[in-house]
Amino acid sequence: MELPISPPLAPMLAKAVKTMPEGDLLYEPKWDGFRCIIFRDGDEVELSSRGERPLTRYFPELVAAARRELPERCVVDGEIVLRTGSVLDFEALQQRIHPAASRIALLAERTPASFVAFDLLALGDESLMELPFGERRERLTSALAKAAAPIHVTPVTDSYELAQQWFEEFEGAGLDGVIVKPRAIPYQPDKRIMFKVKHERTADCVVAGFRWHKSGPIVGSLLLGLYGESGLQHVGVAASFPMARRAELVAELEPYRTEDLSEHPWGAWAEQSGATTDRMPGAVSRWTGKKDLSWVALRPELVCEVAYESMEGNRFRHTARFRRWRTDRTPQSCGYEQLEVPVAYDLDEILG
């Protein structure tokens, strides 16, 4: 490749804020997918991840689309997303990362991905990284004016009121917030100079186990559960604790530890260490296969309140944040019905 910017390139990042800023800013929907920078030089196309790892082999349909829809020589920052019906489906997107070429080809046909562009870093022989974002956005819109699906350009607005409306409504299509970009900023790789506003909710969960911290005999994470039709379901973990608090938790959890798993709702899972699903507390994760995910069982009698952003199927999309113990709640009262469900919103209305 002979482009003014060569892969790999660390993308510019955003820092989380509680409230949406106002000022000389541009607002975009926050897409829930894989961050990706596409490099195209004629027939040569490379897809680079947020971690500067190649994604090219996993999305052959996007390589073909880039050759068909993008300018002959360009570098475009954006997000790989995958939809099921009228909403984004991050879980299905994760399945696209597979070692077998035959499986990749099958999934590319059955569950094709899309690319949502939101920044233009180079065009022809010109690097645009030093230009203000407002100018880069105009260049992006012009360069991709004739692009067709599965290549899209993200909506943008300078209206604070419309951005607030997007924040409330677009979650129903699987998006997870709003990105706020100062109009004047150049592109700064690996720097958190943008802002992101994400949804935050709370839920009361049963604590039915924990994992040890990698540094030693202190608590690493709490295993959380909610009651559904088939009993207590593992919904994720809470892991954000200061080191001193992790040590205190060892003593707090000690009275609830149990080695008799015959009555534990997750007892059968302890014997499935070779499982490939990450739905079980002790199973091998497809993303962290070498990580020790063994766990210590607790009698499911403790309830805690956690903060979370959104759901992915029947579990938390990201790590939850411990808020407090709820001694006033019974474990059996902690069910899925307490969770807020966003009002459905058609993804086509966003992509235009």
Side-chain angles (χ1 to χ4, degrees):
M1 278 192 172
E2 295 184 3
L3 293 167
I5 305 169
S6 300
L9 177 71
M12 185 166 66
L13 303 173
K15 56 185 176 183
V17 293
K18 293 291 186 182
T19 58
M20 199 174 302
E22 296 184 74
D24 189 19
L25 304 167
L26 292 173
Y27 305 89
E28 299 174 358
K30 186 180 184 303
W31 298 90
D32 189 15
F34 294 161
R35 185 72 175 275
C36 176
I37 299 179
I38 296 182
F39 298 81
R40 184 192 176 193
D41 186 5
D43 285 339
E44 290 186 80
V45 175
E46 290 192 29
L47 278 58
S48 181
S49 75
R50 171 176 169 172
E52 302 176 61
R53 295 181 179 181
L55 292 171
T56 313
R57 70 181 299 267
Y58 302 115
F59 298 98
E61 74 276 28
L62 292 185
V63 173
R67 292 182 180 133
R68 186 177 67 248
E69 305 295 341
L70 293 183
E72 184 78 11
R73 301 178 66 245
C74 63
V75 180
V76 184
D77 189 5
E79 194 100 355
I80 297 175
V81 299
L82 193 150
R83 63 187 297 168
T84 297
S86 61
V87 300
L88 298 183
D89 190 340
F90 186 80
E91 186 173 0
L93 181 63
Q94 288 181 305
Q95 303 304 314
R96 294 296 308 272
I97 307 301
H98 198 281
S102 59
R103 181 66 175 171
I104 290 171
L106 179 64
L107 291 175
E109 181 178 351
R110 289 185 176 177
T111 57
S114 299
F115 179 77
V116 182
F118 43 66
D119 211 335
L120 182 63
L121 311 187
L123 187 62
D125 292 324
E126 182 184 7
S127 170
L128 309 180
M129 292 176 63
E130 295 301 319
L131 293 180
F133 171 66
E135 292 186 32
R136 297 200 309 275
R137 170 69 197 197
E138 292 177 1
R139 298 285 292 272
L140 173 71
T141 302
S142 175
L144 272 64
K146 296 182 179 180
I151 304 294
H152 306 271
V153 176
T154 192
V156 67
T157 183
D158 60 2
S159 167
Y160 176 84
E161 290 74 20
L162 181 57
Q164 289 282 9
Q165 182 179 334
W166 287 356
F167 182 77
E168 298 297 333
E169 295 182 352
F170 286 3
E171 187 184 14
L175 284 75
D176 60 356
V178 169
I179 294 291
V180 185
K181 301 181 178 181
R183 195 189 296 267
I185 58 172
Y187 195 91
Q188 300 183 44
D190 207 30
K191 301 293 185 183
R192 293 188 180 275
I193 57 174
M194 304 182 294
F195 307 97
K196 57 184 177 182
V197 189
K198 302 180 69 173
H199 297 274
E200 182 172 285
R201 301 175 172 87
T202 62
D204 294 328
C205 298
V206 181
V207 178
F210 72 90
R211 295 193 184 110
W212 294 111
H213 195 269
K214 60 183 179 181
S215 67
I218 56 176
V219 171
S221 60
L222 303 178
L223 304 184
L224 308 174
L226 289 174
Y227 278 98
E229 293 181 358
S230 55
L232 187 66
Q233 303 298 305
H234 175 51
V235 294
V237 302
S240 300
F241 303 103
M243 295 303 285
R245 181 66 181 129
R246 295 180 186 278
E248 294 172 353
L249 283 170
V250 175
E252 292 179 28
L253 299 177
E254 179 62 30
Y256 299 92
R257 290 179 60 173
T258 178
E259 295 183 1
D260 180 9
L261 298 180
S262 61
E263 300 296 326
H264 196 283
W266 301 339
W269 297 355
E271 301 175 358
Q272 301 190 32
S273 59
T276 57
T277 173
D278 59 1
R279 292 294 181 229
M280 302 177 182
V284 176
S285 166
R286 64 185 287 110
W287 298 99
T288 56
K290 297 181 181 179
K291 186 177 180 180
D292 181 11
L293 296 182
S294 58
W295 58 288
V296 177
L298 300 173
R299 297 195 311 276
E301 300 171 6
L302 288 169
V303 174
C304 72
E305 179 185 354
V306 300
Y308 71 99
E309 294 165 0
S310 61
M311 299 295 292
E312 177 188 327
N314 62 355
R315 62 186 282 128
F316 296 136
R317 170 73 173 81
H318 299 289
T319 300
R321 293 167 296 285
F322 181 91
R323 285 283 183 84
R324 55 176 176 154
W325 293 115
R326 289 297 304 267
T327 56
D328 58 321
R329 291 291 299 267
T330 64
Q332 290 71 24
S333 69
C334 300
Y336 282 95
E337 68 279 355
Q338 69 180 295
L339 305 181
E340 180 182 342
V341 179
V343 177
Y345 196 94
D346 193 338
L347 188 61
D348 288 329
E349 294 292 325
I350 305 173
L351 294 175

